[in-house]
Amino acid sequence: MGENRNDGLRAAALAGIGMVAGVLTGCSVTSEYMRPLPARPTLSAPMDRALVVFVRPSSFARGIGFTIIDEKGRYMGDSLPKSAFTVSMEPGRHVFICWAENSSALEATVEAGKTYFVEVAPKMGALAARAHLLAVKPGSAGWKERDAWLAGATPLAADRKAGQAYLDSRRAATAERIRRGLSTLAEYDAAERSARVLAPADGI
C-alpha cells in the first residue's frame, strides 16, 4: 500500500483541497470551503436520507487539513483539527476516501433516517501527516468517546458546491486518488477492514 513519493510531497504542500498548511506545530489550518456554524446542529437524519458525521477529535497535525471525497469523486468536506461536519447521503453503499499523504478508505452502507459516525484520525507520516478513517460504532474504541468528541469539536459546514468545483478542476488527480483509495480498501486485512466498515445497524 505504498504511496508515490511525489504525491506525498504534493500532499505535504497542499494538505488537502484549499488548505493553508503550516508545520505540524504551527497555526491551526483553515479552509476556504468550510465555515463555522453559530450553533451545534442536531444530528438527526432526514427520513429519506442518512446523515454521516465526520469528527476529528485530535489537535495533532493542526497545520494540516484532510479532504474527504467519495468513490464518485464527490466532495464531502475538509476535516480540520478538533472539528466535525455532517453530510446527508442517499441510502446504500458508499466509500469515503481521505486525501492525505496516504489514501485511507472506509466503506459505509447506510439506511435512511439513521446517523453514522466516522473518526478522522491523523497519524505521523514520512513527509506529511497521514490520516485514517475509522468507523465509530458499537464495540469500537471511539463509541464511548463519541459524545465527548463532538462536544469538544467545532461544528463546521462545507461549501460543497465550491469544493466540488475545485475537485472538478483536478479530475486526473481526483481519479487517481479514488483509484488508490479503492485499492487500499481492497488490501486491508480482516481486522483493518472491520475497523473501516459501517453496517446499516451501526447508525442511530
Side-chain angles (χ1 to χ4, degrees):
M1 294 190 290
E3 295 292 335
N4 180 278
R5 188 174 183 82
N6 289 335
D7 190 68
L9 289 168
R10 186 160 50 247
L14 295 176
I17 296 175
M19 293 300 168
V20 181
V23 295
L24 296 186
T25 57
C27 298
S28 293
V29 71
T30 60
S31 167
E32 63 183 286
Y33 305 131
M34 306 297 292
R35 70 178 190 278
L37 293 173
R40 297 190 183 281
T42 59
L43 299 181
S44 299
M47 294 302 297
D48 60 340
R49 293 177 70 81
L51 194 69
V52 180
V53 182
F54 292 90
V55 57
R56 180 175 164 184
S58 174
S59 59
F60 176 73
R62 63 179 181 173
I64 299 179
F66 306 109
T67 295
I68 312 299
I69 62 176
D70 73 359
E71 81 283 7
K72 297 179 181 179
R74 294 182 296 187
Y75 175 77
M76 302 288 102
D78 291 333
S79 180
L80 308 182
K82 295 190 74 67
S83 73
F85 68 91
T86 65
V87 182
S88 174
M89 304 294 298
E90 62 272 20
R93 179 183 179 273
H94 303 275
V95 176
F96 300 113
I97 299 162
C98 186
W99 196 317
E101 184 187 66
N102 61 325
S103 301
S104 176
L106 176 144
E107 178 182 346
T109 304
V110 299
E111 288 184 352
K114 288 188 176 182
T115 299
Y116 299 82
F117 301 88
V118 176
E119 179 191 359
V120 182
K123 304 292 182 183
M124 184 66 73
L127 299 169
R130 300 166 71 86
H132 296 279
L133 300 180
L134 302 175
V136 180
K137 58 186 177 181
S140 72
W143 186 249
K144 289 189 287 187
E145 303 291 335
R146 184 194 69 211
D147 291 342
W149 285 352
L150 292 170
T154 299
L156 303 175
D159 183 344
R160 295 186 65 189
K161 182 177 180 180
Q164 189 64 52
Y166 187 89
L167 276 182
D168 291 344
S169 74
R170 305 183 66 216
R171 291 184 185 276
T174 300
E176 175 62 13
R177 186 59 58 162
I178 294 169
R179 185 194 69 77
R180 293 185 184 190
L182 294 177
S183 177
T184 297
L185 185 65
E187 292 172 4
Y188 287 138
D189 63 28
E192 290 172 328
R193 188 173 180 85
S194 177
R196 294 163 173 84
V197 171
L198 284 169
D202 294 329
I204 60 173

